[in-house]
Amino acid sequence: MKLGVMLLHGMFGGPESWQACGTRLQEKWPVYVPELPILDVPYQEVGINSLVGYIKGMLDAEKIERTVLCGNSLGGHVALKLALAYPDRVAGLVLVGSSGLFDRTDQNAPRHPSREWVREKIKEVFFDEVHTTEVLVQRVYDTITCPEQARKVVRMARSAKHENLRDELSQLRCPVMLIWGADDHITPPRMAHEFKRCLPQAEMELIEQCGHAPNIERPREVTIIMERFLDGHCSPQSANGDTVCKVPDGPAFIEVRDLRREFDD
C-alpha cells in the first residue's frame, strides 16, 4: 500500500515553511510538500473545501492510497476536513497550531494597512522576532494591499470561520498528534487542549518559547515528535490484521518535489 507524508502550510506560508522538517523526514518516508492554491484560484472557488478538493486530486493523481497529513494553521484545518471527508485515505494527522475550532480574524484591520501594521501583525505569529523578515513583511503587504487578493483573503478567513469542526471531530478514528507552541497567540494553547477534549485518541506536545508556527521556529523538536508519531502509528498491521500504513523499505522517494534541491535554488 502506497503511503505518503504530506506537509501543508498556512495562509501566508509556503512549502518553504516545512523545509527543515521535510528534509529530515524524507530520509525515511516519501514526503509531499504541495503549494496550496489558497489565493491562486478564481474568487468564487476560494475556501477550505476547494483546498480539500485540490489535495484529494493530488492523492488520486499520485496514486497515494493512504497519507499522514501534517498541517500548520490553515493547513491543519484542510487536513482535518479531508480526514473527515475521506477517512479511508488518511492514516494519521499531525496538527500544528491548527485552525478548525477557533477564529481570530482581525476585525479592526485598517482599510489601508501600512507595512508597519503588517510587521506588527507578523510579530504576533512568532515567539522570536528574528522570523519577522522583511521578505515576509513585503510578501504579506503586497498581498493584502492588492484589492483582488485582499478580497480573497477575507473570503478564505470567512470560510475558515464557517467551517468550525467542533461537532464533527468525534467522527475521526485515525491517530492524531497535536503540536502547539506554548506562546501561540493566534490559536492559543487552550485550543490544543480543546482539540484534545474533542479527540480523546490524540497525543499532545507543547513546545516552550514557540509561537504559532513551530515548524518554522522549532523544526528540530517538531521533527522529533513527528518521527516518534510516525514510528508508533505507521505500523504494517492494524488491529484487524490488514496492512494500513506500510512504510516502504529502502530509500525514501520524493514525488512532488525534492526539498533539498527546491530550497537550494
Side-chain angles (χ1 to χ4, degrees):
M1 178 172 287
K2 185 174 177 181
L3 167 75
V5 176
M6 189 168 286
L7 311 178
L8 305 179
H9 61 80
M11 171 78 86
F12 292 108
E16 69 279 0
S17 66
W18 285 102
Q19 174 184 358
C21 297
T23 299
R24 170 72 178 268
L25 291 171
Q26 73 173 351
E27 295 174 3
K28 191 170 183 180
W29 289 279
V31 174
Y32 300 79
V33 194
E35 182 151 10
L36 296 174
I38 296 172
L39 306 178
D40 297 328
V41 295
Y43 177 78
Q44 294 299 329
E45 296 178 21
V46 172
I48 297 288
N49 290 329
S50 175
L51 297 176
V52 170
Y54 177 81
I55 296 301
K56 171 60 164 52
M58 175 176 285
L59 294 177
D60 292 343
E62 300 294 330
K63 297 181 172 57
I64 303 170
E65 297 170 74
R66 299 272 280 175
T67 182
V68 177
L69 291 173
C70 312
N72 172 233
S73 194
L74 180 68
H77 202 151
V78 173
L80 281 164
K81 282 285 291 183
L82 195 143
L84 287 164
Y86 306 101
D88 58 317
R89 304 295 293 274
V90 179
L93 289 169
V94 179
L95 305 177
V96 184
S98 179
S99 59
L101 290 180
F102 178 73
D103 176 77
R104 186 179 170 258
T105 304
D106 196 328
Q107 301 296 331
N108 299 313
R111 186 175 181 84
H112 301 290
S114 65
R115 281 184 179 81
E116 188 56 34
W117 183 87
V118 171
R119 183 177 291 105
E120 290 304 310
K121 287 300 173 184
I122 294 175
K123 284 181 181 179
E124 295 178 11
V125 174
F126 302 108
F127 176 82
D128 189 341
E129 291 184 8
V130 71
H131 298 286
T132 305
T133 65
E134 290 306 308
V135 171
L136 179 56
V137 170
Q138 187 65 46
R139 187 171 73 208
V140 174
Y141 175 79
D142 289 344
T143 298
I144 67 174
T145 56
C146 170
E148 180 181 359
Q149 294 297 84
R151 289 178 66 237
K152 291 180 180 180
V153 169
V154 171
R155 183 176 173 88
M156 179 58 76
R158 288 174 176 168
S159 173
K161 183 175 183 178
H162 176 73
E163 294 289 344
N164 187 298
L165 303 177
R166 187 182 307 274
D167 294 337
E168 301 175 56
L169 292 179
S170 62
Q171 301 172 28
L172 288 174
R173 295 292 180 266
C174 65
V176 179
M177 170 58 75
L178 305 169
I179 304 176
W180 238 258
D183 300 280
D184 187 342
H185 299 299
I186 308 301
T187 51
R190 62 184 172 85
M191 300 316 304
H193 290 283
E194 185 65 19
F195 269 114
K196 184 73 175 71
R197 282 191 288 272
C198 295
L199 295 165
Q201 79 273 30
E203 303 166 62
M204 184 172 71
E205 294 281 355
L206 290 179
I207 300 177
E208 297 296 328
Q209 298 185 339
C210 182
H212 184 56
N215 48 310
I216 296 174
E217 287 200 88
R218 304 293 288 275
R220 181 178 180 275
E221 290 92 331
V222 170
T223 304
I224 289 171
I225 294 167
M226 290 175 67
E227 287 178 325
R228 186 173 71 240
F229 176 78
L230 290 167
D231 284 336
H233 294 289
C234 290
S235 57
Q237 301 295 322
S238 67
N240 61 12
D242 296 330
T243 300
V244 294
C245 197
K246 176 66 174 176
V247 177
D249 296 326
F253 54 93
I254 304 302
E255 298 203 21
V256 171
R257 58 182 73 204
D258 184 313
L259 286 171
R260 283 173 292 206
R261 184 185 67 241
E262 189 76 17
F263 294 115
D264 286 341
D265 288 346

